[in-house]
Amino acid sequence: MSDLSWNIWGAVAAALGFLVPALGSWIKSLYLTSKLKTLKKLIDETQEQLTLARWEGLLVDPVEYAHMHGKLWHARERMEAAGAQIHARSSGMISNLKGICSLALSSQVNLNIKEVNQVRVQLLKRSSQERKKLASTRSLMDLPNRADYQESLKSGVDDDVDSSSLDE
């Protein structure tokens, strides 16, 4: 073999060594189970941000908190329902509708991800606005910090919506 053919096969092997794993990870990201894990992580992180924003006093309106909390609650319900269908399908219980079910579930999970992202954006905008207001009126030393929040979680302080404040 000449050096030219050796270099060509080396280039082909290098290209395949790069493209095959990249293509494999892209295909894996399209799996419904991967999308479901992404959605679960997104909901959990958004819920934590919502609780932290309320604890820090950045989200004081109980109706707004209840609205965001409700959207996340419904997103979690839809995620669990989709997860049950995905796991049932993957174990062979719905074999006749694999293609249609896959498309329907995929679009349902994608829509759920989009809705959770909208809640997240709304929460971050609101938190940013309130943080600016608080920073202009109070000293930064007076603002609660994340370590205090973590400590309150360990002590078992619950920050769920007080139903009496919603009746007003």
Side-chain angles (χ1 to χ4, degrees):
M1 268 193 181
S2 70
D3 285 338
L4 182 60
S5 65
W6 181 257
N7 288 338
I8 290 173
W9 286 112
V12 168
L16 286 176
F18 173 75
L19 291 177
V20 169
L23 184 63
S25 65
W26 178 71
I27 290 173
K28 188 176 181 183
S29 74
L30 297 177
Y31 288 167
L32 290 174
T33 52
S34 296
K35 287 183 179 184
L36 200 62
K37 287 178 187 175
T38 301
L39 177 59
K40 182 180 181 344
K41 184 177 178 183
L42 186 64
I43 289 173
D44 290 343
E45 288 175 356
T46 306
Q47 183 64 49
E48 182 180 338
Q49 286 178 346
L50 181 64
T51 304
L52 180 63
R54 184 161 183 238
W55 186 85
E56 287 180 340
L58 301 174
L59 194 61
V60 293
D61 183 12
V63 174
E64 187 176 18
Y65 174 81
H67 178 71
M68 288 182 189
H69 185 72
K71 281 188 170 186
L72 288 176
W73 182 266
H74 291 298
R76 188 175 301 276
E77 285 179 340
R78 289 189 305 267
M79 177 198 67
E80 291 171 352
Q85 291 178 9
I86 289 167
H87 294 302
R89 186 185 62 83
S90 65
S91 63
M93 297 178 90
I94 308 174
S95 58
N96 294 335
L97 301 174
K98 278 186 180 177
I100 296 171
C101 185
S102 170
L103 291 174
L105 285 174
S106 181
S107 62
Q108 183 181 2
V109 171
N110 287 337
L111 181 64
N112 213 1
I113 289 172
K114 184 178 177 181
E115 289 176 359
V116 172
N117 273 329
Q118 288 172 348
V119 170
R120 189 176 200 151
V121 167
Q122 181 184 3
L123 173 64
L124 291 175
K125 283 181 180 178
R126 181 73 171 146
S127 294
S128 176
Q129 291 169 354
E130 289 299 317
R131 194 175 303 275
K132 287 177 185 175
K133 285 181 189 175
L134 286 174
S136 68
T137 59
R138 295 195 300 188
S139 165
L140 289 178
M141 297 304 290
D142 295 338
L143 296 175
N145 62 32
R146 195 168 191 83
D148 293 338
Y149 169 70
Q150 294 294 336
E151 192 62 36
S152 73
L153 287 179
K154 289 178 185 175
S155 67
V157 174
D158 190 13
D159 273 341
D160 282 342
V161 176
D162 182 16
S163 60
S164 63
S165 64
L166 294 177
D167 293 335
E168 297 174 359

